[in-house]
């Protein structure tokens, strides 16, 4: 194991079986759907990092610009001797802006993709030798606890990238309620939220010209083949993404190009031509709408920062007393 990183395996042995059961239930439902968690094997994590570099994908560069501009304000609100906990650590690019501003005593990266998590936390540990670095392989969408032995006096969770939008509003409220139970009174949550905006900007962001988002979506089928004994031909599906204005969400689908039957974990799943597998939703919020949601989940909205075009927002919330 990496001597620079304290590793905590919080992925229970039954997690793979549970994920398979969740997958089969979604494939048997009407309409068919899968969890966004299935995107993030090692290849999926690499493809998502590539998505963030595409010119149409405004989210990453906008969030990073907001963090740069607001870093001093955030550091003042968080204070000294913090433990910074990044949920869905991925490539851990944005968190570097916070590490340099906050100088926390401890960092914990939490991610479901073990290999990607270990690689990213190793890089952080090498680049910040003064920082105590921990990595927890865990599904943070399920009940969990912080690992024991973390240094620091005040935990602050960081949930960037508007990943909260992958939950329905009801699920997002439940997720935030769960986070509130993990934080002490006054503990902080810094969270990125994509804002409602012109649909042309949204549609372009999820349909980049280079086809990276399409490859990311289709890689889900490759993962099914490798990990769930699926008999499926990825070329028999195409990527589709569009903004559903009525529900304020981007929807991503895989569209069957013809009538076909696939098998997953031994179960037959029939698709008609044009039938879709709903692989992800990304809900968009107004600033006031998200603050209301967070307030109902046990947090007190303290501050927010946005860009001049109002594309994206970063909220700082505190766990209510």
């Amino acid at each position: 194991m990496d001597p620079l990183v304290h590793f905590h395996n919080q992925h229970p042995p039954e997690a793979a079986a549970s994920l398979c059961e969740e997958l089969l239930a979604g494939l048997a439902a009407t309409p068919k759907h899968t969890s966004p968690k299935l995107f993030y094997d090692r290849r999926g994590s690499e493809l998502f990092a590539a998505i963030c570099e595409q010119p149409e994908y405004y989210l990453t560069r906008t969030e990073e610009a907001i963090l740069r501009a607001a870093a001093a304000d955030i550091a003042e609100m968080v204070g000294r001797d913090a433990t910074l906990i990044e949920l869905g650590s991925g490539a851990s690019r944005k968190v570097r802006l916070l590490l340099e501003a906050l100088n926390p005593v401890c960092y914990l990266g939490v991610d479901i993709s073990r290999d990607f998590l270990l690689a990213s936390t190793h890089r952080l540990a090498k680049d910040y030798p003064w920082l105590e670095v921990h990595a927890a392989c865990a599904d943070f969408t399920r009940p969990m606890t912080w690992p024991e032995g973390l240094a620091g006096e005040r935990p602050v969770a960081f949930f960037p990238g508007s990943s909260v939008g992958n939950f329905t509003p009801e699920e997002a409220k439940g997720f935030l309620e769960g986070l509130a139970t993990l934080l002490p009174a006054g503990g902080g949550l810094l969270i990125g939220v994509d804002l409602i905006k012109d649909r042309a900007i949204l549609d372009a962001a999820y349909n980049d010209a280079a086809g990276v988002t399409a490859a990311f979506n289709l890689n889900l089928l490759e993962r099914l083949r490798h990990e769930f004994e699926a008999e499926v031909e990825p070329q028999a599906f195409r990527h589709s993404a569009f903004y559903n204005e009525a529900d304020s969400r981007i929807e991503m689908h895989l569209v069957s190009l013809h009538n076909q039957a696939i098998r997953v974990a031994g179960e037959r799943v029939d698709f008609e031509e044009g039938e879709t597998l709903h692989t992800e939703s990304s809900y968009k919020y107004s600033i006031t709408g998200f603050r209301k949601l967070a307030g109902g989940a046990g947090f007190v909205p303290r501050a927010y920062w946005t860009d001049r075009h109002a594309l994206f927002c970063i909220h700082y919330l505190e766990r209510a007393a």
Side-chain angles (χ1 to χ4, degrees), residues 31 164-170 172 194-197 199 202 242-253 278 280-286 293:
V164 70
N166 293 149
F167 303 116
T168 67
E170 295 78 14
D194 201 15
L195 297 177
I196 296 170
K197 61 184 66 65
R199 71 175 303 141
L202 290 165
F242 57 90
Y243 183 55
N244 178 337
E245 195 162 0
D247 292 329
S248 299
R249 70 185 189 189
I250 281 281
E251 294 183 15
M252 286 218 308
H253 296 258
H278 188 171
E280 182 182 53
S281 290
S282 182
Y283 284 82
K284 312 305 175 183
Y285 288 91
S286 67
L293 177 72

Side-chain angles (χ1 to χ4, degrees), residues 31-319:
K32 296 179 177 68
H33 62 271
T34 56
S35 167
K37 290 182 288 189
L38 286 166
F39 284 133
Y40 296 101
D41 60 355
R42 186 182 184 98
R43 178 59 178 157
S45 296
E46 291 169 348
L47 284 167
F48 183 73
I51 287 171
C52 295
E53 302 292 336
Q54 301 310 302
E56 300 94 336
Y57 196 77
Y58 61 88
L59 289 90
T60 299
R61 64 176 178 270
T62 304
E63 186 175 28
E64 288 178 354
I66 295 169
L67 284 171
R68 285 190 195 94
D73 291 341
I74 294 168
E76 185 175 347
M77 297 195 75
V78 170
R80 301 178 62 84
D81 299 324
T83 296
L84 186 60
I85 301 167
E86 186 177 15
L87 303 174
S89 56
S92 293
R93 279 181 28 171
K94 298 166 191 168
V95 79
R96 291 171 181 260
L97 300 169
L98 293 179
L99 292 175
E100 290 159 15
L102 271 61
N103 291 301
V105 296
C106 180
Y107 167 83
L108 168 65
V110 183
D111 202 280
I112 199 169
S113 178
R114 182 180 185 274
D115 292 344
F116 207 71
L117 169 69
L118 289 174
S120 63
T121 50
H122 175 81
R123 288 192 296 270
L124 285 180
K126 283 187 65 177
D127 293 345
Y128 300 94
W130 48 267
L131 181 66
E132 181 180 306
V133 176
H134 293 252
C137 182
D139 180 356
F140 59 79
T141 67
R142 297 179 180 272
M144 62 173 292
T145 58
W146 305 140
E148 294 183 1
L150 300 179
E153 297 180 358
R154 186 174 182 227
V156 175
F158 178 45
F159 194 32
S162 194
S163 296
V164 70
N166 293 149
F167 303 116
T168 67
E170 295 78 14
E171 291 168 343
K173 183 173 182 289
F175 170 73
L176 292 173
E177 288 171 340
L179 269 184
T181 66
L182 292 173
L183 295 169
L189 171 60
L190 191 68
I191 185 168
V193 179
D194 201 15
L195 297 177
I196 296 170
K197 61 184 66 65
D198 184 85
R199 71 175 303 141
I201 297 172
L202 290 165
D203 285 342
Y206 292 83
N207 293 282
D208 57 273
V212 182
T213 306
F216 172 73
N217 200 9
L218 287 161
N219 182 67
L220 183 148
L221 299 177
E222 296 288 358
R223 185 179 183 187
L224 297 191
R225 294 173 73 183
H226 297 150
E227 295 185 28
F228 298 93
E229 302 176 353
E231 299 172 20
V232 57
E233 297 299 329
Q235 61 267 30
F237 291 82
R238 67 172 174 84
H239 163 75
S240 173
F242 57 90
Y243 183 55
N244 178 337
E245 195 162 0
D247 292 329
S248 299
R249 70 185 189 189
I250 281 281
E251 294 183 15
M252 286 218 308
H253 296 258
L254 290 170
V255 184
S256 179
L257 297 179
H258 52 75
N259 293 342
Q260 59 180 308
I262 70 172
R263 298 192 76 86
V264 180
E267 298 292 328
R268 175 179 169 133
V269 182
D270 291 307
F271 281 88
E272 296 181 359
E273 181 179 355
E275 186 178 0
T276 75
L277 176 62
H278 188 171
T279 55
E280 182 182 53
S281 290
S282 182
Y283 284 82
K284 312 305 175 183
Y285 288 91
S286 67
I287 292 172
T288 55
F290 188 79
R291 284 164 67 90
K292 181 179 179 181
L293 177 72
F299 285 94
V300 178
R302 291 299 189 197
Y304 67 87
W305 302 268
T306 187
D307 60 288
R308 64 189 180 92
H309 297 297
L311 297 175
F312 198 90
C313 185
I314 295 174
H315 295 261
Y316 186 75
L317 315 169
E318 281 187 359
R319 163 76 153 81

